[in-house]
Amino acid sequence: MNRWWVGGAALVAVAAVLGPLLGDPDAADFAAILAGPSPAHPLGTDQLGRDLLLRLLAGAQLTLGISVVTVLVTGAVGTAAGMAAGYREGPGARVLLRTVDVLAALPIILFGLLAAAVLGPGIGSLLAAVWLVGWTPFARQAYQLTVAEKGRAYVEGAVALGAGPARVLLRHVARNLAPPLLAHACVRFAATLLTVSGLSFLGLGVAPPTAEWGAMVAEGREYLFVAPHVVLVPSVAVVAVAVLVTVAGRRMAT
Amino acid sequence: MLRRLLPVPLVLLAASVLVFALPRLTGVDVSRAVLRARVSAEVPDAATEARVAAEFGLDASAPVQYLRWLGAALRGDLGLGFVSREPVLDQVGDALAVSGLLTVLALGLAAVVGVTAGVYAAHRPGGPFDRAVGALAVAGVAVPEFVLAPWLVLVFAVGAGALPALGWGGPQHVVLPVLTLAVYPAALAAQLVRAETADVLTRAHVPLARAKGLTARRVLWRHGARLATTSVTSLSGMFVAGLLGGSVVVEVVFGIPGLGRLLYDAVLAQDLPVIQAGTLALVAVAVLAGVLVELAGLAADPVARSREAVS
């Protein structure tokens, strides 16, 4: 059963990497504007006659690429902070947890708006927002897991054998934290994907004419009543990937 | 109890420093920004610029400016919007009322749907209803607002022609935005309630209640769903701030004059006082919602209460 999910993820990744080789996503075909599916354009074209399949694949690279990098960076930072706080509980850990609570209580879109106000809307403000907040769920999860692991015999054994905190955490605790944290990373990936495309939809991230799934929905929305397929294509892509990753993460967790 | 309220002023104070610093971080010259909004001249003369700087107290040092600004803010004066020239607190208040209505309706709908679906799904784990709820809940979490809103408009406003596609004013304008907002919390609530209820139903007091002669329905709701109310309360608290200010997408798509839209427009127009006031309001609401949820949890859960008394 798991092979299906791995295969699906691999397929999406290959499509995202190879997509731009198939053609220019910004090339306009003025003979076919807002056209439905045809042999020349398997998913149809948008309001400028650009091929939706090519834009979808180019968008996959950008949208999914930003999400993957974000989850890797914030996952590493958050896990490290959470593990350190969980292993050495003290005033520092309490401050960290309070910070996590406050940051996680605020809507991510507020950070997107503030980052856009400070840096100007663009990929930079988008990354600033998702990186500033994205580490907090990992920190919370890693903290709770580390506190639970700390009391177990193997940690005591390692300490008795003279292992320092860094060795205990990296060599021993980290291995036991990896499976639940990987499952958590899948959930975070889906959430990040929706945030990235949502902010781009609002014009606070990747801006048109660059092909990004959220930005594509925003562009196509004006033609929703005449040519709904322009919105349908990126909509389905966002939801499909989010479902795929969410279910895969859940399988991993059980 | 007091320990939980202690961080609230600290968080608000930290937020106020950040919010005060915001115009300095943006690199926007405030007096220039005001001038540009007021007069059309490309390059305003130095005298006018100095007068505006004095009017806004921008000639003082940063700490002095902060204390003045904080004092005014505590008295309810957060300045005038650059664009509207109206007190921003009034603007934020009006917008908050609109977003508040949407939030309450969406959370109410989500709680009713989520709890009902979750409890019935737990009634027969693995049954067809349980699997349907599980699949719908995954989809509900995976469908973002910016995808859902256009499709609801297409189906209900254009296809069926029954509801307006955008606008604000009458009850007919509330339906589609509330539906869009309710999907995500409803899906999460259904998952949570299903898991907790299924867990409770395996415990010993449930067969006992059945043996005492209670109907299956009564056991399900009185005993099984009991815990669910607590977790749904805490889930709602999590969503209050997100819905009040985070519903930018819904408010932009449906043209609703709420807090999210106000902040969004302010960011695009670089209207700093509005951004400042909106952010402060949102942080305050989020922190207060968190505290209220914790207190509600303590009131509802005797185990947590006794743990609190011991520590």
Side-chain angles (χ1 to χ4, degrees):
Chain A
M1 200 61 187
N2 259 326
R3 275 187 208 160
W4 283 99
W5 301 105
V6 175
L11 198 70
V12 172
V14 167
V17 172
L18 294 184
L21 301 177
L22 296 176
D24 179 10
D26 294 325
D29 178 358
F30 292 114
I33 283 178
L34 295 175
S38 66
H41 306 289
L43 293 179
T45 59
D46 68 1
Q47 71 281 3
L48 294 175
R50 295 174 298 192
D51 188 88
L52 279 175
L53 178 63
L54 291 177
R55 291 185 73 68
L56 186 74
L57 294 175
Q61 204 169 41
L62 196 59
T63 311
L64 301 179
I66 291 177
S67 306
V68 167
V69 172
T70 299
V71 169
L72 289 178
V73 171
T74 57
V77 172
T79 304
M83 281 174 75
Y87 196 67
R88 277 266 160 84
E89 284 171 288
R94 275 202 293 279
V95 169
L96 184 88
L97 288 177
R98 272 291 158 192
T99 312
V100 167
D101 282 346
V102 172
L103 286 180
L106 294 168
I108 173 80
I109 202 133
L110 176 66
F111 293 96
L113 287 165
L114 292 180
V118 172
L119 304 169
I123 293 191
S125 75
L126 175 74
L127 288 180
V130 287
W131 288 16
L132 189 69
V133 197
W135 62 277
T136 55
F138 284 105
R140 187 179 282 166
Q141 184 93 351
Y143 170 81
Q144 286 165 353
L145 290 167
T146 308
V147 168
E149 288 293 315
K150 192 168 62 171
R152 294 178 55 178
Y154 75 88
V155 173
E156 210 180 319
V159 173
L161 287 172
R167 191 178 166 85
V168 172
L169 283 177
L170 294 178
R171 278 295 290 268
H172 303 283
V173 176
R175 294 196 181 179
N176 291 295
L177 259 52
L181 281 176
L182 272 178
H184 187 63
C186 283
V187 176
R188 292 304 309 158
F189 178 84
T192 308
L193 167 71
L194 299 185
T195 306
V196 167
S197 47
L199 286 173
S200 299
F201 171 83
L202 287 171
L204 299 174
V206 183
T210 309
E212 195 281 342
W213 290 352
M216 285 169 71
V217 173
E219 273 191 286
R221 211 161 61 84
E222 290 172 45
Y223 309 93
L224 185 65
F225 307 143
V226 237
H229 71 276
V230 181
V231 173
L232 183 67
V233 169
S235 299
V236 169
V238 170
V239 176
V241 173
V243 168
L244 183 81
V245 178
T246 307
V247 178
R250 203 164 294 184
R251 286 279 152 85
M252 255 186 246
T254 49
Chain B
M1 204 70 126
L2 267 177
R3 200 165 47 84
R4 282 167 201 278
L5 290 171
L6 203 62
V8 172
L10 279 177
V11 170
L12 289 179
L13 205 63
S16 79
V17 173
L18 281 180
V19 161
F20 168 79
L22 196 65
R24 282 92 193 151
L25 293 173
T26 56
V28 174
D29 185 335
V30 174
S31 34
R32 283 276 167 115
V34 174
L35 278 173
R36 210 169 297 132
R38 284 185 189 174
V39 287
S40 53
E42 191 68 29
V43 186
D45 60 296
T48 325
E49 213 171 316
R51 207 179 63 233
V52 172
E55 178 191 333
F56 283 82
L58 291 169
D59 41 1
S61 71
V64 171
Q65 284 186 40
Y66 171 69
L67 289 178
R68 272 192 206 154
W69 176 82
L70 190 66
L74 287 175
R75 274 179 272 119
D77 174 16
L78 281 164
L80 309 178
F82 288 166
V83 178
S84 67
R85 302 311 297 151
E86 282 169 18
V88 286
L89 210 66
D90 296 353
Q91 285 181 271
V92 169
D94 293 347
L96 207 54
V98 171
S99 292
L101 177 69
L102 283 182
T103 304
V104 168
L105 290 175
L107 279 182
L109 180 65
V112 170
V113 173
V115 170
T116 314
V119 168
Y120 275 119
H123 184 43
R124 285 190 207 290
F129 187 74
D130 183 27
R131 276 188 282 169
V133 167
L136 277 177
V138 169
V141 174
V143 178
E145 288 159 353
F146 72 87
V147 166
L148 193 58
W151 291 106
L152 283 179
V153 166
L154 196 63
V155 171
F156 289 101
V158 181
L163 292 161
L166 76 161
W168 185 249
Q172 74 275 18
H173 291 119
V174 174
V175 181
L176 292 182
V178 166
L179 269 182
T180 313
L181 287 174
V183 166
Y184 185 73
L188 275 191
Q191 290 178 355
L192 195 67
V193 169
R194 188 226 169 263
E196 293 201 332
T197 309
D199 182 46
V200 172
L201 288 181
T202 60
R203 296 201 200 148
H205 69 273
V206 172
L208 176 71
R210 284 287 280 145
K212 267 164 53 185
L214 268 65
T215 61
R217 192 192 180 82
R218 199 169 161 77
V219 171
L220 185 63
W221 284 99
R222 272 298 287 271
H223 298 270
R226 189 76 187 273
L227 255 184
T229 48
T230 324
S231 51
V232 169
T233 314
S234 66
L235 197 66
S236 306
M238 251 175 56
F239 278 111
V240 166
L243 285 176
L244 273 181
S247 52
V248 181
V249 169
V250 168
E251 292 179 356
V252 166
V253 168
F254 289 105
I256 297 168
L259 186 60
R261 184 59 197 289
L262 184 72
L263 269 171
Y264 179 68
D265 289 344
V267 166
L268 295 187
Q270 296 254 9
D271 196 338
L272 293 166
V274 175
I275 303 178
Q276 289 179 306
T279 306
L280 268 186
L282 211 54
V283 173
V285 169
V287 173
L288 285 178
V291 171
L292 282 180
V293 162
E294 275 195 43
L295 295 182
L298 282 184
D301 185 354
V303 178
R305 207 158 52 226
S306 63
R307 211 185 300 131
E308 185 81 353
V310 169
S311 69

